[in-house]
Amino acid sequence: AAGVIQSPRHLIKEKRETATLKCYPIPRHDTVYWYQQGPGQDPQFLISFYEKMQSDKGSIPDRFSAQQFSDYHSELNMSSLELGDSALYFCASSPPLGAYNEQFFGPGTRLTVL
Amino acid sequence: KQEVTQIPAALSVPEGENLVLNCSFTDSAIYNLQWFRQDPGKGLTSLLLIQSSQREQTSGRLNASLDKSSGRSTLYIAASQPGDSATYLCAVVTNDYKLSFGAGTTVTVRA
């Protein structure tokens, strides 16, 4: 069965650089969520999209932005990177609302900021 | 704001013993609750999803119960194996549809 795809799997950037993380949801899933998991921390919700519109926003810094495209894939853009942005970034997708909203997670992108 | 707590933070048991992992949440107005498994540095694997109207879900050796009114869920893993060693995360969804995670219980099953 198809799963959530994230790319790249690993990314190394310098401080003040920009990074773009990509997420491809499971086919026919219309909702995408982004989570950030710092070292030894539990995942924290960043932002979500439903039918290409932002549906909710969590603890996402102003330096970050995201969008969902017409094919439902999503990109998280991170600018002016800081050392504290080093974390695992997960994308999850869920089927159309009403189908229990089970979230299926991708393998994550490990971002290291030097 | 939903607060999710998992106790204990770590657990070490000999192979074959049953595991009991606890999760509590402060806001009982949840939509559903998911249990995940995470291996070190890896992604999140969904184990069980319990709807707010359900009392329990079972999958193989795993059984999860939900008592929404008291804000508690318990994950039981029967006859533990070394391959069960991982961190288990509980997460709840309230009506805004985002997951609020607990800090996890790290399980070590000794051979």
Side-chain angles (χ1 to χ4, degrees):
Chain A
V4 177
I5 297 171
Q6 290 188 246
S7 68
R9 294 292 308 279
H10 302 272
L11 192 57
I12 299 175
K13 291 286 186 178
E14 300 276 344
K15 278 173 54 177
R16 293 180 288 278
E17 284 191 323
T18 297
T20 297
L21 310 184
K22 296 185 179 182
C23 169
Y24 297 87
I26 293 171
R28 291 179 294 282
H29 283 197
D30 59 2
T31 305
V32 167
Y33 308 81
W34 286 96
Y35 294 86
Q36 177 192 57
Q37 186 177 30
Q41 305 293 315
D42 53 287
Q44 296 292 319
F45 170 75
L46 292 177
I47 195 166
S48 62
F49 292 88
Y50 166 63
E51 280 292 341
K52 292 152 278 183
M53 300 286 289
Q54 181 183 306
S55 55
D56 200 1
K57 200 170 180 179
S59 50
I60 183 169
D62 292 340
R63 300 176 289 108
F64 294 5
S65 65
Q67 57 182 324
Q68 187 179 31
F69 293 87
S70 58
D71 63 352
Y72 294 100
H73 94 272
S74 178
E75 295 184 4
L76 177 66
N77 298 293
M78 310 159 71
S79 62
S80 303
L81 287 169
E82 302 174 357
L83 295 178
D85 296 329
S86 295
L88 260 176
Y89 290 83
F90 290 110
C91 170
S93 72
S94 63
L97 290 177
Y100 305 126
N101 193 52
E102 182 171 3
Q103 293 186 30
F104 298 84
F105 279 72
T109 294
R110 181 172 294 283
L111 173 66
T112 303
V113 181
L114 302 175
Chain B
K1 182 187 174 222
Q2 180 75 266
E3 299 286 341
V4 182
T5 304
Q6 290 187 247
I7 294 173
L11 188 59
S12 178
V13 299
E15 183 177 3
E17 201 164 289
N18 297 331
L19 290 163
V20 180
L21 310 179
N22 297 300
C23 171
S24 62
F25 45 94
T26 54
D27 184 354
S28 62
I30 65 168
Y31 191 67
N32 62 42
L33 182 147
Q34 272 184 268
W35 281 94
F36 293 89
R37 168 187 172 135
Q38 186 173 32
D39 293 289
K42 302 294 184 183
L44 296 165
T45 301
S46 180
L47 298 173
L48 288 167
L49 170 76
I50 311 178
Q51 297 301 316
S52 61
S53 59
Q54 296 176 318
R55 300 281 296 183
E56 68 176 335
Q57 275 285 357
T58 299
S59 176
R61 294 185 295 113
L62 276 57
N63 174 276
S65 66
L66 174 65
D67 183 344
K68 200 174 80 159
S69 60
S70 68
R72 292 180 186 174
S73 177
T74 303
L75 178 67
Y76 302 90
I77 303 177
S80 61
Q81 304 166 359
D84 294 330
S85 297
T87 296
Y88 292 83
L89 293 154
C90 160
V92 298
V93 175
T94 42
N95 290 339
D96 54 9
Y97 301 115
K98 62 178 184 280
L99 285 165
S100 297
F101 284 85
T105 295
T106 299
V107 171
T108 303
V109 180
R110 308 186 303 271

